[in-house]
Amino acid sequence: MPGPRVTSDDHVALRTAEEADRSFLQRGVANADLRRPLGSPVMNRGDFDDWIEGRDDADWFVVCHDEDDAGPGYPADGDTRRIGTIVVEETSYKRPVLAYWLVPDAQGQGYGKRAVSLAIDYVFGQYDVPAVGASAFAFNDASRGLLESLGFVEEGRRRKFMFVDGEHRDMVHYGLLREEWDDSA
């Protein structure tokens, strides 16, 4: 089960990702419906563990839908449901980068926007940085729309950045300045 709640609103909670969550995280990246829009390669458990261990400059969260009686600490079985993940990468750099996904049955219900909003608040509250970044493939309209709805601005494009689904795809980079986020609150 996920760990203690770091932050939440009325609908979603960001909880610390624990060792027991690795299979959930790995299954999510292996799911073709998620892997394609993320551009993630297929990874077995060992490859995934190595990949996570190599990211010591990151904060990992499990996006959860908590029941009303779920406490702030380690939840009891059945008190929370994992619906996705958010990773804040490059935390020691001047611009942390958000990466996120939701399980398919949680998509399109506003959970992503809520979870990314909580992650932005977390970054600006935890780190003295001027901005936060995120990226999405040009074909991933849902992710691009989510970022733009939160005030992220397109800052650049890496053309034919990665080979996904038989084509070289463009990656669109976004940024959100601290003062832009503060002004929208």
Side-chain angles (χ1 to χ4, degrees):
M1 291 302 293
R5 185 171 51 222
V6 174
T7 185
S8 64
D9 67 10
D10 293 340
H11 300 281
V12 297
L14 300 186
R15 291 181 171 271
T16 59
E18 303 289 332
E19 183 70 29
D21 296 311
R22 284 196 182 199
S23 62
F24 170 76
L25 300 175
Q26 192 262 335
R27 276 196 317 268
V29 174
N31 180 323
D33 291 335
L34 299 173
R35 185 172 36 78
R36 279 193 220 93
L38 294 171
S40 299
V42 175
M43 289 184 254
N44 64 32
R45 179 65 186 259
D47 292 340
F48 185 75
D49 287 346
D50 291 344
W51 182 69
I52 284 182
E53 294 303 323
R55 293 172 176 253
D56 57 353
D57 191 18
D59 298 337
W60 289 79
F61 301 106
V62 177
V63 179
C64 296
H65 185 263
D66 284 355
E67 295 298 323
D68 291 337
D69 56 350
Y74 287 89
D77 286 343
D79 281 355
T80 191
R81 181 173 67 101
R82 297 176 186 109
I83 60 172
T85 190
I86 292 184
V87 183
V88 182
E89 300 177 296
E90 302 176 19
T91 56
S92 63
Y93 190 59
K94 62 181 95 176
R95 182 179 282 207
V97 176
L98 302 178
Y100 51 88
W101 57 262
L102 294 177
V103 295
D105 68 338
Q107 294 174 4
Q109 300 178 47
Y111 295 131
K113 185 172 182 176
R114 290 174 175 279
V116 173
S117 292
L118 290 171
I120 295 167
D121 286 340
Y122 169 82
V123 168
F124 288 139
Q126 187 73 23
Y127 299 103
D128 184 17
V129 294
V132 64
S135 298
F137 283 106
F139 68 84
N140 190 342
D141 294 333
S143 188
R144 294 183 65 202
L146 182 152
L147 293 170
E148 291 167 7
S149 76
L150 290 170
F152 280 82
V153 174
E154 184 176 330
E155 295 183 329
R157 179 181 293 253
R158 292 176 98 176
R159 297 176 301 153
K160 296 188 177 187
F161 177 70
M162 194 176 290
F163 193 72
V164 178
D165 272 352
E167 291 183 47
H168 286 94
R169 306 292 187 132
D170 289 1
M171 178 67 76
V172 182
H173 298 283
Y174 289 89
L176 177 66
L177 301 177
R178 180 184 291 269
E179 58 266 19
E180 292 169 338
W181 184 248
D182 290 343
D183 290 345
S184 73

